[in-house]
Amino acid sequence: MGYLTLAGAITAEILATTLMKYSDGFSKLWPSLATAVGYLVAFALLAQTLKTVSMGTAYAIWAGAGTAVIAAIGMLFLGEAATAAKVTGVLLVIAGVIVLNLGGAH
């Protein structure tokens, strides 16, 4: 169950971050409110996750997955450049999460 709530937290965080782009610096009401709700949901679900999943593991997966997916959304849908450095950085984030889960975050 912990990993299911973690997946929900990651999804909410990704949606909130994406909507923040459309809030235009929090000058547009609905995207701004949706961003705030998304982050509240993300943190509430992350808090529930921490009841059953170790903090290091949960946070590494949450932060790493969120970072990788947001970077991909930016490059694939928002016109951000997909440079070798960005792709390498995302791959390094993913590798770091894997290494933490194999032995360092338990």
Side-chain angles (χ1 to χ4, degrees):
M1 187 65 173
Y3 287 98
L4 187 59
T5 57
L6 181 57
I10 292 166
T11 302
E13 187 265 336
I14 290 166
L15 289 171
T17 302
T18 303
L19 286 165
M20 189 186 306
K21 171 74 174 169
Y22 294 103
S23 75
D24 197 28
F26 295 119
S27 65
K28 295 181 180 175
L29 178 63
W30 295 115
S32 298
L33 289 176
T35 297
V37 169
Y39 279 119
L40 285 172
V41 169
F43 281 108
L45 290 173
L46 182 60
Q48 292 302 308
T49 299
L50 295 178
K51 291 180 177 180
T52 58
V53 179
S54 72
M55 183 169 50
T57 299
Y59 195 76
I61 294 170
W62 185 67
T67 300
V69 173
I70 287 298
I73 288 171
M75 289 183 277
L76 294 172
F77 302 109
L78 300 176
E80 296 177 8
T83 65
K86 282 186 182 181
V87 172
T88 301
V90 169
L91 293 175
L92 287 170
V93 167
I94 293 167
V97 170
I98 291 168
V99 169
L100 282 170
N101 284 296
L102 289 175
H106 297 284

